[in-house]
Amino acid sequence: MKQIFLVVAGGSIGALARYFSYKFLHSLTLTGFPLVTLIINCLGSFLLGLFLQQVRNSSDFALFLAVGILGSFTTFSTFSMETVQLAKDGRVQLFVLNIAGTILLGLLSLAFGMWLSQRIKFA
């Protein structure tokens, strides 16, 4: 029951964050290009990369942040994490197949977050 609560609580936060982010960014970008979605997806990927180590060290934190908040904020962050993991595992063919139809910026955002997390200390 605790795990369900963590996912629901995180999901509520992520959904609200996406809603307000979309409303705020949509007023700034009226180009016809889905830039808002791209920005939100890249941000979610970056945040997952930034906190990937902390997520792996706590299943409760993983449920709340990765599945709940970032899962409802964007689905692209999970895709990016799985793609990066394929590369780390040396599964090159699946890695290439997985990224063939995706947006490169999401993957770069995740990689940058991971790189940054290695250089800063979290409490």
Side-chain angles (χ1 to χ4, degrees):
M1 189 61 141
K2 176 184 173 185
Q3 290 83 11
I4 292 171
F5 174 76
L6 290 169
V7 172
V8 169
S12 298
I13 293 168
L16 287 171
R18 181 173 180 101
Y19 173 75
F20 287 115
S21 296
Y22 181 82
K23 286 189 71 82
F24 175 74
L25 294 171
H26 184 67
S27 66
L28 299 177
T29 59
L30 301 173
T31 64
F33 179 77
L35 185 59
V36 174
T37 300
L38 179 61
I39 291 169
I40 289 172
N41 285 338
C42 289
L43 178 60
S45 296
F46 169 76
L47 291 172
L48 187 60
L50 186 64
F51 295 113
L52 194 56
Q53 279 305 111
Q54 285 71 30
V55 167
R56 287 187 179 155
N57 294 334
S58 167
S59 62
D60 286 348
F61 190 60
L63 288 173
F64 179 70
L65 178 69
V67 177
I69 294 176
L70 295 176
S72 66
F73 183 66
T74 175
T75 59
F76 193 73
S77 60
T78 300
F79 163 78
S80 298
M81 181 184 67
E82 292 169 346
T83 302
V84 169
Q85 191 60 50
L86 288 171
K88 283 184 173 183
D89 292 344
R91 301 173 75 183
V92 177
Q93 291 175 337
L94 289 177
F95 173 78
V96 172
L97 181 63
N98 204 26
I99 65 170
T102 64
I103 300 172
L104 182 59
L105 288 177
L107 298 173
L108 293 174
S109 297
L110 181 78
F112 178 66
M114 292 172 68
W115 174 83
L116 188 61
S117 73
Q118 293 174 349
R119 282 150 181 80
I120 57 178
K121 300 277 185 196
F122 290 99

